[in-house]
Amino acid sequence: MQLSQYISNLLYRYECVVVPGFGAFLTHKIPASIHQPSNTFYPPKKRLSFNGQLQSNDGVLANHIAESEQISYENAIDKITKQVVSLEQRLKKDETVILPNIGELKRTKKGQLLFEPYYSINYLTESFGLSPFVSPEISKFSDNKAPIVLASRKQKTQVLFKYAAVAVLMLGLGGFFGSNAYLKQIEQQNILAQQNANIALDNKIQEATFVLSNPLPAVTLELERSFGSFHIVAGAFRVEANSERKLRQLKRLGFNARKIGQNRYGLHQVVYESFRTRPEAERALYTIKRTQDAAAWLLIKEVL
């Protein structure tokens, strides 16, 4: 049993995954950030940490293993216990325990447990498909050009004020003589619009009366969903042609792949398969991560 694989799957959905008798892996959401020296923008993400004091079983990991492997809850607990014993033995031998997609654990000479997380995987599903990018540096105007720009703006402002004063005077005179004619024109247009609205309303009433007097028999259609709500995501692409290429590749491999539309960032999502229940989706996800792509993940979403 690959304990790290189950922990990794749960970190996408939970902020705390407890390994009974060993410790807890925690996620902390951090906002997007900018590294000013390199002009690099980083998307929001979840930062991993480990707390060896949280060892009480909350049932999340055991239930997940029991559903994935179709075994009883008690058997899942036994498997976790054996994995914990194996981890402790390796740590006592001063070995560095590597947990794929999570991080590395090792003990210091004083017996303290150190955890070094991997930063290659972002467990924040909202940021899926986003990656850091470098923005070109924005240069500033030098001080010796500032007086020239300010002087030019001052001259333009004075000219604009002159034209504005003349325009206000002309508008005031014109408004005084033309206001009465303008109001009469508006009143005539309002009367005409009201008449047109009354005619349109009468036509609608006649149409509605005709339909009500000749009712059609009601037809009830029952449409069955052909796909479930649990999707194993293969990738999200900004260019739609790339998503089509990925879709053809997965179908050649024998998957019931399909596109499920765009996510909130406008990326075209392609999935290996979709399932109706969580257990069968998680079993398929485990196989796909092991044989196809370790970065595949489970998306829970209603898609028509």
Side-chain angles (χ1 to χ4, degrees), residues 1 8 21 93 115 125 165 185 189 236 250 288:
M1 180 186 72
S8 178
K93 296 178 181 178
F115 173 67
T125 55
Q185 183 180 2
Q189 292 178 352
L250 295 180
I288 289 174

Side-chain angles (χ1 to χ4, degrees), residues 23-88:
F25 294 92
L26 309 172
T27 62
H28 309 275
K29 185 176 180 180
I30 59 176
S33 60
I34 303 175
H35 185 253
Q36 293 184 352
S38 62
N39 294 323
T40 304
F41 291 76
Y42 294 93
K45 62 181 180 180
K46 281 184 177 180
R47 178 178 295 165
L48 285 179
S49 63
F50 180 80
N51 189 335
Q53 303 299 320
L54 301 176
Q55 299 186 5
S56 298
N57 181 24
D58 58 1
V60 173
L61 181 59
N63 277 314
H64 178 63
I65 294 175
E67 291 180 2
S68 300
E69 299 189 2
Q70 294 295 296
I71 59 177
S72 66
Y73 179 83
E74 290 74 17
N75 289 339
I77 291 293
D78 291 338
K79 287 193 171 188
I80 294 175
T81 302
K82 292 178 181 178
Q83 289 286 316
V84 170
V85 171
S86 176
L87 289 174
E88 292 288 0

Side-chain angles (χ1 to χ4, degrees), residues 26 34 40 63 101 137 150 159 242 251 260 267 280 304:
L26 309 172
I34 303 175
T40 304
N63 277 314
N101 300 327
E137 183 178 2
L150 292 176
V159 174
N242 294 337
K251 287 187 175 181
I260 60 171
L267 302 178
E280 60 180 349
L304 297 178

